[in-house]
Amino acid sequence: MWYCQRRLAALEDYGTFTNTERRLQLTRKVVDPPGDAKPDWWVFIELARRLGYDMGFRDSSDIMKEMARVAPVFSGLGHERLEREGGLQWPVPGGSSPGTPILYADGFPRGRARFRVIGWRGLDVVMERLYPYSLIIGRERAQYHTATMTSRSPVLKVIWRGPIVEVNPEDMRVEGVEDGEIVRLVSPVGEVLARVKASARVPRGVLFTTFHYPELLANALVPAVLNPITKTPAYKDTRVRIEKLKR
């Protein structure tokens, strides 16, 4: 079995990571991957080879060399240099460059930043009455994406909140729901069941939940319509209403 059985942990492979401050750092192999698991780079190279294209890479350092050759922002980087000097922030345009801790320190490539005034269009009266709440779908600090890894951490269980929807206590009073009660959230395109959590950190008229848990597929409430400028769905402003379940 040549393919990767699971995504390798950082300690099972040798290569580079680039973090959100543009810093490339080496990660070094500490333990062997289990079974037939293979590094990510190997999977792509082997797949290409079996499809008839041999890229010629022997390890991840070869890939870094090609990146330095074709991308000017990486031209001063290589595994050997990262091994000697530690992490460097791109752009690193040459071997003598120390990297770029602050991007655009001397100005933006296109000059001054351009601001655009965007008009706001409110909801029509019918929509606002049918769906009076604005649902924000966000993240928990302790969870990552669909929580397939973080939900198994015994450490994170200490601060586990699970699939809930936060509701302002005044809105709970108006809707006649209690803390911990399961309600139905209904949007113009779907509905889900959710457990209510009283929360003063959300203002009246606003609900908050996450997308981490399969028990609460909140994204099913989001209409399949994109913002005309950002091209993003309404993850931070989906209109919903709260319905009590029949006993």
Side-chain angles (χ1 to χ4, degrees):
M1 186 179 296
W2 65 268
Y3 55 86
C4 183
Q5 292 179 328
R6 64 179 180 83
R7 189 173 182 84
L8 271 70
L11 299 182
E12 297 170 359
D13 196 11
Y14 175 78
T16 61
F17 276 109
T18 306
N19 66 15
T20 53
E21 64 167 357
R22 298 171 287 104
R23 188 183 301 276
L24 271 79
Q25 303 172 83
L26 278 179
T27 177
R28 298 162 179 82
K29 182 178 177 180
V30 176
V31 295
D32 292 326
D36 295 323
K38 302 294 184 183
D40 291 344
W41 70 266
W42 186 94
V43 173
F44 287 108
I45 301 309
E46 182 65 12
L47 179 61
R49 187 185 68 79
R50 296 196 179 199
L51 291 173
Y53 176 53
D54 187 353
M55 296 183 181
F57 298 132
R58 300 183 306 278
D59 54 34
S60 59
S61 66
D62 286 345
I63 299 174
M64 185 76 251
K65 291 175 183 176
E66 177 161 299
M67 290 172 58
R69 181 174 59 83
V70 301
V73 295
F74 300 134
S75 61
L77 288 171
H79 281 204
E80 298 83 2
R81 185 177 181 188
L82 293 174
E83 191 78 58
R84 292 193 313 269
E85 302 180 25
L88 294 170
Q89 292 166 277
W90 64 264
V92 187
S96 61
S97 170
T100 311
I102 301 176
L103 201 60
Y104 308 135
D106 298 323
F108 294 99
R110 59 180 295 177
R112 292 184 176 182
R114 297 182 181 178
F115 292 91
R116 299 177 63 181
V117 178
I118 305 298
W120 181 80
R121 185 177 61 188
L123 299 171
D124 60 63
V125 176
V126 175
M127 176 67 76
E128 193 164 12
R129 287 178 178 174
L130 288 176
Y131 307 99
Y133 296 100
S134 178
L135 175 66
I136 298 174
I137 304 173
R139 301 171 181 265
E140 285 181 19
R141 182 173 57 185
Q143 301 298 345
Y144 179 73
H145 288 349
T146 52
T148 51
M149 294 183 290
T150 51
S151 63
R152 293 182 289 175
S153 168
V155 177
L156 296 180
K157 290 290 185 182
V158 177
I159 52 177
W160 179 271
R161 297 200 317 155
I164 59 172
V165 57
E166 296 183 40
V167 185
N168 184 279
E170 285 299 310
D171 288 331
M172 291 176 58
R173 183 185 59 80
V174 171
E175 297 292 341
V177 299
E178 298 178 356
D179 193 42
E181 183 177 343
I182 296 177
V183 300
R184 180 180 289 109
L185 298 182
V186 181
S187 81
V189 297
E191 59 182 54
V192 298
L193 298 180
R195 188 177 301 277
V196 169
K197 174 67 175 177
S199 175
R201 73 173 185 168
V202 292
R204 293 198 61 181
V206 176
L207 311 180
F208 177 82
T209 191
T210 67
F211 57 87
H212 302 306
Y213 308 102
E215 300 90 342
L216 177 50
L217 300 178
N219 287 345
L221 300 172
V222 181
V225 178
L226 301 181
N227 181 284
I229 297 176
T230 63
K231 308 302 181 184
T232 55
Y235 294 127
K236 310 305 179 187
D237 186 17
T238 293
R239 304 301 302 190
V240 299
R241 67 173 177 264
I242 297 173
E243 293 183 353
K244 289 179 64 69
L245 300 182
K246 295 180 180 179
R247 298 187 183 277

